[in-house]
């Protein structure tokens, strides 16, 4: 099965600062998904990446998939309190999703 | 678009009773729905894949007689936890698949159901 490692496990960022989360796969990624979860709630779909070198942005969040398709990063610019939560990467694994352990983001005012 | 609802959001039941959780895709049809379980501060664990009109496919280690899944229509899947015990207490999340691009559906998640078994 596909294993995903997320780093860091958690991070605290000052409001207005940038942050980056990484997701590394043990196998080639054929579809990489980023989700956000507030504790005790469902997951919100952020972005999907499929092609090597692909980059997508939505508002202040940018996700990239490297050329080798084994690593993805999620970058948040000028973080806001609304960006706080748990970010999960998920990999397409035979039409199912395998998730990383998640990165907990805390934004301090 | 792509809204998935779950009902109930919270349920408390006595040990030995059965609990049914509904998952609905509100604004799209989902051939495939997924059921996950999440323990505190852990990631999601896939329990089963549910295809409309056919039997669910369970992940290894998940008891199919314990967790009954029915996917009777393209917008509704149900998970019934039978003879629930305290160890079944958990956060259950469903997702519904929608094809955005490529061969794999993007999964849209429900808000989850917190089950507490006393």
């Amino acid at each position: 099965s596909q294993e995903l490692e997320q780093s860091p496990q958690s991070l605290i960022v000052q409001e207005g600062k940038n942050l980056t989360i990484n997701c590394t796969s043990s196998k080639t990624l054929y579809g990489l998904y980023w989700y956000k979860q507030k504790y005790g709630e469902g997951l919100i779909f952020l972005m999907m990446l499929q092609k090597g070198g692909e980059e997508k942005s939505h508002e202040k969040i940018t996700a990239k998939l490297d050329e080798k398709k084994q690593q993805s990063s999620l970058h948040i610019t000028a973080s806001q309190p609304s960006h706080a939560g748990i970010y999960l990467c998920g990999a397409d694994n035979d039409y199912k999703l395998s998730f990383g352990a998640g990165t907990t983001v805390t934004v301090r005012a | 678009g792509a809204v998935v609802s779950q009902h109930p959001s919270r349920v408390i039941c006595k040990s030995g009773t059965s609990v049914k959780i509904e998952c609905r895709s509100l604004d799209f049809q989902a051939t495939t729905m997924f059921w996950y379980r999440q323990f505190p501060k852990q990631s999601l664990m896939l329990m089963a894949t549910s295809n409309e009109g056919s039997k669910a496919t369970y992940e290894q280690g998940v008891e199919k007689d314990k967790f009954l899944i029915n996917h009777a229509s393209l917008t509704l899947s149900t998970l019934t936890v039978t003879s629930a015990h305290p160890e079944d207490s958990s956060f259950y999340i469903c997702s519904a698949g929608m094809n955005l691009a490529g061969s794999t559906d993007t999964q849209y998640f429900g808000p989850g159901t917190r089950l507490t078994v006393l």
Side-chain angles (χ1 to χ4, degrees):
Chain A
S1 65
Q2 189 142 30
E3 290 190 5
L4 294 176
E5 264 194 44
Q6 277 187 246
S7 62
Q9 204 171 26
S10 63
L11 64 93
I12 301 171
V13 64
Q14 196 71 29
E15 184 177 351
K17 298 293 184 184
N18 304 337
L19 67 96
T20 300
I21 300 167
N22 293 302
C23 176
T24 303
S25 171
S26 57
K27 299 180 183 179
T28 300
L29 293 161
Y30 292 102
L32 189 285
Y33 300 77
W34 283 101
Y35 289 89
K36 179 186 172 187
Q37 184 182 29
K38 297 258 183 185
Y39 183 72
E41 297 181 14
L43 277 66
I44 299 167
F45 171 67
L46 297 175
M47 272 169 275
M48 174 184 68
L49 304 164
Q50 287 186 303
K51 299 174 185 174
E54 187 175 10
E55 179 175 320
K56 287 186 178 177
S57 293
H58 177 68
E59 297 179 344
K60 292 184 178 179
I61 301 175
T62 300
K64 298 178 187 179
L65 182 61
D66 75 337
E67 288 289 346
K68 290 184 179 179
K69 294 173 61 173
Q70 283 195 279
Q71 187 169 41
S72 178
S73 61
L74 186 84
H75 184 78
I76 299 176
T77 305
S79 58
Q80 300 293 314
S82 60
H83 289 127
I86 303 163
Y87 290 83
L88 293 148
C89 62
D92 174 12
N93 183 14
D94 194 20
Y95 298 97
K96 298 180 288 190
L97 279 180
S98 298
F99 285 96
T103 296
T104 302
V105 172
T106 303
V107 180
R108 287 232 172 111
Chain B
V3 179
V4 177
S5 70
Q6 266 183 256
H7 179 79
S9 58
R10 288 179 179 270
V11 57
I12 301 172
C13 69
K14 291 182 179 179
S15 188
T17 60
S18 293
V19 174
K20 181 187 279 189
I21 303 169
E22 289 187 352
C23 177
R24 292 180 186 271
S25 55
L26 298 184
D27 51 3
F28 67 102
Q29 293 185 326
T31 308
T32 307
M33 288 185 170
F34 303 84
W35 286 96
Y36 295 83
R37 186 172 177 177
Q38 188 176 34
F39 292 101
K41 300 191 177 181
Q42 292 188 27
S43 192
L44 282 74
M45 182 192 81
L46 179 65
M47 298 175 66
T49 304
S50 167
N51 290 294
E52 186 263 338
S54 63
K55 289 184 180 179
T57 302
Y58 290 81
E59 295 299 299
Q60 196 170 11
V62 178
E63 298 175 59
K64 56 181 71 174
D65 295 331
K66 173 78 173 170
F67 300 99
L68 299 178
I69 291 171
N70 184 275
H71 193 159
S73 78
L74 288 172
T75 60
L76 173 65
S77 177
T78 61
L79 169 69
T80 302
V81 183
T82 62
S83 186
H85 287 95
E87 58 266 28
D88 298 325
S89 298
S90 192
F91 191 57
Y92 293 88
I93 312 179
C94 72
S95 70
M98 181 165 80
N99 193 268
L100 294 180
S103 57
T104 303
D105 289 350
T106 293
Q107 292 185 33
Y108 291 89
F109 285 79
T113 296
R114 173 78 56 194
L115 170 63
T116 303
V117 185
L118 302 176

